[in-house]
Amino acid sequence: MSELKLGIIHYNFPNHSLSEFLRAIKKIGYAYSEIRCTDFRADDPDADAEAEKLRKEMDALGLKPSSVSLGNDFVVLDEAVVAAQVERTKRIARLAKMLGTNVLRTEGGRPKPEVPEAKWCDAMAGCLKRLVPFLEEEDVYLAVDNHGKITNDGELQARLFEAVGSKHVGANLDTMNYRATGHYDLETVYKFHRMMAPYALHTHFKDGVLQDGKYRGTELGSGELDLSIAVAALKEAGYDGVWTVEYEKMDGDREEGARKSLAHLKKLLAG
C-alpha cells in the first residue's frame, strides 16, 4: 500500500494569512492542502508569477497541493458563456500544474432562470465534454464537488459522470454536504458515499450535525457521521488520492480543530 496522503482545505482559517496557514498545517502534520484559485490570483494577468511564488513557498515547507478549487459555473447553455467557462478552466488547469497538481476541484454550478432544472445535467455535461480532449491530452482531472443545490445529489452525479464518460471527470466526495445542505437522511448519505467512491478523484472529509434544519460543523469524529463507511468504500474502490480534511467549525481554535481532525482521520485509515 502506498503512503497515505493527508491534506486539509484552505479557507476556514480567518486569522491566518496563507503563509501562516501553510506553516501551521505543516507543524500539525499535514503534507497537502487544497489551494483556492484566488490564493494565487488565477484570474489576474500576473497569475503565472503568483503560482510560481506559491509553488516555491510550498516546496520550501515540504508541502504539496492536493487540488486547486476552480470556482466555476457549468450550469450554462449560452454558447459564449460555455466557451468562456471552458477557456478559463484550461487556463487555470495550466496554472495548477505550475503549482504542482493536475486536479481541479470544481463546482457543478448555480441554479439560474435561463437554465431549467431539467437541463442542469445536460448543461454541466456539455461543458465537461468540451473539456475532455484537453483533459486527456494534458492529463488533468476535474473532481466535481457535491456542493450547493445542484450536484449535492448522488443520483444526478452518477448520471453526469456516465454522460461525460471519461476517467478525467469524477467526484470530489464531500462526506457532509449531502447531509448539511442536501438534508438527506443518514442512510441516503451513506448510499451516496458508496455510489461516489468509484468516481472519486479527491475528497473532503467533513463532519457535523444537522438539527432542526441547521448545520453545525465539528471536528472529525465529533459529529453524527460514521466516516468509516466512506473510508471503507474509497479503499474498496482503490482510491489513491489525498485524504483531505475540511474542518468547518466556525468558532474555536482552528489549529486545534485541524489537529483533532487529522488524528481522527489517521485512526479511521488505520482501521
Side-chain angles (χ1 to χ4, degrees), residues 64-75:
K64 297 179 181 179
S66 64
S67 65
V68 167
S69 63
L70 181 59
N72 61 295
D73 187 346
F74 288 163
V75 183

Side-chain angles (χ1 to χ4, degrees), residues 3-40:
E3 184 178 353
L4 291 174
K5 293 171 276 193
L6 302 170
I8 187 168
I9 192 170
H10 172 231
Y11 75 86
N12 192 26
F13 285 72
N15 296 322
H16 292 62
S17 68
L18 177 57
S19 293
E20 290 168 341
F21 164 78
L22 294 173
R23 290 194 297 271
I25 65 168
K26 175 66 177 180
K27 185 176 180 180
I28 291 168
Y30 291 96
Y32 291 81
S33 178
E34 179 181 305
I35 299 298
R36 298 176 295 184
C37 64
T38 52
D39 287 333
F40 54 97

Side-chain angles (χ1 to χ4, degrees), residues 226-242:
D226 181 351
L227 294 171
S228 69
I229 294 172
V231 168
L234 287 160
K235 284 185 174 182
E236 184 178 353
Y239 178 71
D240 192 38
V242 179

Side-chain angles (χ1 to χ4, degrees), residues 43-105:
D43 288 301
D44 291 357
D46 59 351
D48 285 28
E50 290 296 316
E52 183 62 27
K53 178 182 175 182
L54 180 53
R55 169 70 179 267
K56 289 179 179 177
E57 182 175 5
M58 294 183 76
D59 282 350
L61 290 168
L63 293 171
K64 297 179 181 179
S66 64
S67 65
V68 167
S69 63
L70 181 59
N72 61 295
D73 187 346
F74 288 163
V75 183
V76 291
L77 294 170
D78 181 87
E79 173 55 31
V81 181
V82 170
Q85 286 287 325
V86 167
E87 289 308 308
R88 179 179 180 272
T89 301
K90 291 179 179 179
R91 181 167 48 78
I92 294 180
R94 293 189 177 103
L95 289 166
K97 291 182 79 172
M98 288 177 59
L99 191 61
T101 182
N102 63 349
V103 178
L104 295 180
R105 197 266 299 174

Side-chain angles (χ1 to χ4, degrees), residues 205-241:
F205 270 79
K206 183 162 66 186
D207 204 353
V209 175
L210 183 69
Q211 189 171 27
D212 298 327
K214 295 181 179 180
Y215 161 61
R216 175 175 58 83
T218 69
E219 300 89 354
L220 298 191
S222 298
E224 62 186 358
L225 291 186
D226 181 351
L227 294 171
S228 69
I229 294 172
V231 168
L234 287 160
K235 284 185 174 182
E236 184 178 353
Y239 178 71
D240 192 38

Side-chain angles (χ1 to χ4, degrees), residues 70-176:
L70 181 59
N72 61 295
D73 187 346
F74 288 163
V75 183
V76 291
L77 294 170
D78 181 87
E79 173 55 31
V81 181
V82 170
Q85 286 287 325
V86 167
E87 289 308 308
R88 179 179 180 272
T89 301
K90 291 179 179 179
R91 181 167 48 78
I92 294 180
R94 293 189 177 103
L95 289 166
K97 291 182 79 172
M98 288 177 59
L99 191 61
T101 182
N102 63 349
V103 178
L104 295 180
R105 197 266 299 174
T106 81
E107 307 289 338
R110 296 177 295 280
K112 50 187 70 65
E114 62 269 28
V115 184
E117 184 173 350
K119 292 287 188 180
W120 284 352
C121 191
D122 290 343
M124 292 183 291
C127 287
L128 291 166
K129 286 178 181 179
R130 287 268 292 270
L131 282 161
V132 165
F134 167 83
L135 301 175
E136 294 180 347
E137 181 177 352
E138 297 292 328
D139 193 33
V140 171
Y141 294 82
L142 300 187
V144 183
D145 202 356
N146 52 298
H147 174 80
K149 180 177 177 61
I150 294 178
T151 50
N152 205 1
D153 175 347
E155 304 282 355
L156 181 146
Q157 286 178 283
R159 292 198 304 272
L160 175 64
F161 300 144
E162 292 304 310
V164 176
S166 172
K167 69 177 183 179
H168 288 261
V169 176
N172 178 71
L173 175 52
D174 184 301
T175 56
M176 190 68 198

